[in-house]
Amino acid sequence: MLKLHSTLSGELEQVVQDESRPLRMYVCGPNLYAPCHVGHAMSYVLFDVLRRYMEYRDIDVQHVQNFTDIEDNILRKAQEDGVTIDELAEEHIARFYDDMAALNVQRAHEYPRATHEIPKIIELVTRLIEKDYAYEVDGDVYYRVAKRPDYGKLSGQDIEEMLAGARIEPGEQKENPGDFALWKAAKAGEPSWDSPWGPGRPGWHIECSAMSLRYLGEQIDIHGGGQDLIFPHHENEIAQTEAATGVEPFSRIWMHHGLLRLPNSTEKMTRHLGGLIPIDDVIQRWGTDALRTFILFSHYRKPLTFTEEALDSAKSGADRLRTAARAAEDASPAGEAVDAAPYREHFIEAMDDDLNTAIALAALFDLAREINTARDEKRPIADAQAAMLELAGILGLTLEDTEAAMGAAPFIELLIDVRKELRDAKQFEQADNVRNGLEALGIALEDTAEGTAWRQG
RNA sequence: GGCGACGUAGCCAAGUGGUUAAGGCAGGGGUCUGCAAAACCCCCAUCAUGGGUUCGAAUCCCAUCGUCGCCUCCA
């Protein structure tokens, strides 16, 4: 039984699928004003692993992730670049899909965009006004926080405390400093949509509520995102959605992960501050398996620091798994075959316990050792290797050589033949030149009793 | 100031009351090899500090020091 920690209850909650429908998972996606960085990769890889594992455990998942394509940063960036917000969004959505493919992240079932959901947003705001949870002032619509006694339940904040510290920006006409905008009246030059309150645009939090309601219904099973979204974003989503539907809790489980920190710093990575690391840079240098291994080496609720050393270490580890999973079995194996069952059980036990990927990986490393030992002893390993690839696949690890290396395979084989002739002639110096030359290109040769194998090193 | 986390070997990191504190990386010593590489074997921590609770604590409590996140637009 899979259990996940919920921020709302502070405890482990059982993940169970309602028999009448798929399990509903909503993950907060990016705001589309800049490319995604490694911190986003960490988030999306985590939820990808969660989904893959749930599916492995025969849970049918409906996975929705939003694109927020209207908010202050996007308006500002579009203006700076002299493009429309739509053009800006399209550019970053295309890049997002490329990044997800490179990360081996499975596509969500739906990727709704805020600006494509305006009717649903207006409907939701209207309902909140009707229920007296929201009020309109000069074309702005605000959520009335004080009407919700349990406001703050997710972040553990006390409403009185928060209101004491909050401020009203100039030009805002809130009843209460803690109130937040559901709808913002259009300013000159900004894109806007017609609404019962005049032309305007949605506030920051409302789009997620609207999209979640439209694509997943009034109550969902898992709502996820980074810990930086707990307040105010998710707190406000809960307030809006529960007020509008009367259904509590809006999401059974609120799942939040720790944030990635910058190298040479102890602070989190964020696009506001610069110094970001684009996802494709990391994948080009270390590879997808290494990046995913780096992320999964620690528990998702803890912060993680991005360092080159840690990525190198993760890459070496991933290579070790790949070597064990891909090594050729002896031509005529004999003796006791490796039994992967105990490792599979260990893996499942770890994953069930709030997605303990560090222990799940440890189980794979233990299995790798046993496979390697059995291979040395010429015992059957193929079944165990298949099990290993299956379990690694749950973590989204392919344990494959890159396409570039695969494309070069015929040439590498040719050089191996040449080197063999040199070795047979005891011309070791020249043979070593071939090997060293390949190594410089990232190809390592390994001489075995059956001949010479090569791999990416 | 409020709320929430965290501090385990050279590095990353699991473990949250009870056999010898997972796993990875790096390092040292072996086996194998023409030499390597890979692989395998062996070695490498008493858990920030100080108290306390307990038969027993890295695990619970208190204090101290240090670090981080959130407290309105960030995964």
Side-chain angles (χ1 to χ4, degrees), chain A residues 386-402:
Chain A
M388 180 150 172
L389 285 174
E390 186 192 2
L391 296 177
I394 294 169
L395 302 179
L397 303 176
T398 64
L399 305 185
E400 278 175 352
D401 288 306
T402 64

Side-chain angles (χ1 to χ4, degrees), chain A residues 315-331:
Chain A
K315 177 168 170 37
S316 297
D319 285 345
R320 178 175 167 76
L321 295 179
R322 176 156 51 97
T323 302
R326 300 290 178 185
E329 187 177 60
D330 189 76

Side-chain angles (χ1 to χ4, degrees), chain A residues 408-428:
Chain A
F411 307 101
I412 296 169
E413 307 285 351
L414 185 64
L415 285 167
I416 287 174
D417 287 344
V418 171
R419 175 168 169 270
K420 182 177 187 307
E421 288 177 18
L422 291 169
R423 292 180 69 210
D424 288 347
K426 305 282 186 208
Q427 298 192 32
F428 294 121

Side-chain angles (χ1 to χ4, degrees), chain A residues 152-219:
Chain A
K153 65 183 176 183
L154 181 70
S155 54
Q157 302 279 328
D158 180 71
I159 189 166
E160 302 293 330
E161 296 275 355
M162 282 189 294
L163 297 186
R167 288 183 188 170
I168 297 184
E169 296 293 318
E172 292 182 331
Q173 300 180 60
K174 298 177 183 175
E175 286 179 3
N176 193 310
D179 293 351
F180 56 91
L182 299 172
W183 187 264
K184 295 183 175 186
K187 292 175 187 152
E190 286 184 358
S192 65
W193 290 262
D194 287 330
S195 81
W197 321 286
R201 62 181 175 91
W204 175 38
H205 317 294
I206 195 70
E207 85 282 12
C208 277
S209 292
M211 290 186 270
S212 183
L213 286 172
R214 173 158 179 202
Y215 292 94
L216 293 174
E218 295 193 336
Q219 186 170 46

Side-chain angles (χ1 to χ4, degrees), chain A residues 131-149:
Chain A
K131 288 192 164 191
D132 203 36
Y133 276 107
Y135 55 95
E136 186 249 322
V137 185
D138 292 345
D140 290 335
V141 180
Y142 295 103
Y143 184 90
R144 185 173 277 134
V145 166
K147 191 175 169 72
R148 205 72 199 162

